[in-house]
Amino acid sequence: MTATNPTPAALAADWIACGGGGGIGSPASNGLAQFLLTDFPREEPQLVWDTVPLIVRSYPEADFRSDLATEAKAVCGTLAAGPVEDLLSFHGKDFIDRVEREARADRRMAWVLGGTWRFEMDGEIWNRVRQVADDRYWARR
C-alpha cells in the first residue's frame, strides 16, 4: 500500500472532495481517493467498509430520491460502481452481512447497492446484494 495509514474520515473527505474519484488530481483532493478506487478494496477491505457509510451518510436521503442531478448521486454512484462493487467481489463473504444490515437500516445504502454491478461476486453474494438493493433510481437511467 502506498498511502500511509489513512483514516476512514480522511478517505471519505477526499472521496467527496474529488467528486467520487472523478476529480482525482484536483486541487481539492489530497490524493487518497485514488487508493479507494485501486488498492484498498483488495488490500484494506476493513478500511473501505469503514469509509463507505461515512460517505453515504454525508448526504441527506432526499438527495438520493430527487429527480434532479445531485452531488450525492454523482459521488455515491461512483462509490457503488467502484469500491463497493470491488469490496463485495474480493471480500464478499466477509462483508455481506454488514452490507445487508446497513442497507436495511439506511435506504441510502440500499440506493448505493442498486448501482453496484456483479463484477466478480459469486452467485450467493450477488443474490444477497440484489435482495437489499434499491433499483428504482437506476432503472430510470
Side-chain angles (χ1 to χ4, degrees):
M1 175 174 55
T2 19
T4 308
N5 301 322
T7 65
L11 192 53
D14 194 54
W15 185 263
I16 292 166
C18 69
I24 292 173
S26 74
S29 172
N30 64 21
L32 287 175
Q34 69 180 338
F35 297 104
L36 191 57
L37 277 172
T38 57
D39 301 343
F40 290 160
R42 190 178 299 270
E43 298 173 10
E44 299 288 340
Q46 187 62 53
L47 177 61
V48 172
W49 177 245
D50 291 344
T51 302
V52 166
L54 294 177
I55 296 168
V56 173
R57 293 176 192 151
S58 295
Y59 299 99
E61 188 175 323
D63 287 4
F64 293 86
R65 305 287 171 215
S66 173
D67 289 333
L68 303 174
T70 65
E71 179 180 314
K73 290 177 185 178
V75 168
C76 293
T78 308
L79 187 70
V84 173
E85 188 174 293
D86 291 348
L87 175 70
L88 291 170
S89 289
F90 304 141
H91 303 282
K93 290 193 186 309
D94 297 328
F95 288 90
I96 190 62
D97 291 338
R98 291 180 258 185
V99 170
E100 286 174 318
R101 273 193 305 276
E102 186 70 20
R104 286 186 180 111
D106 189 335
R107 291 173 36 164
R108 294 169 293 187
M109 181 60 76
W111 184 97
V112 168
L113 293 176
T116 302
W117 290 15
R118 184 171 182 177
F119 186 42
E120 295 181 8
M121 288 178 226
D122 70 31
E124 176 192 348
I125 300 301
W126 180 240
N127 288 335
R128 290 173 70 178
V129 167
R130 299 311 312 139
Q131 288 176 13
V132 294
D134 179 352
D135 293 327
R136 288 176 287 179
Y137 168 75
W138 301 101
R140 294 186 301 201
R141 299 194 82 210

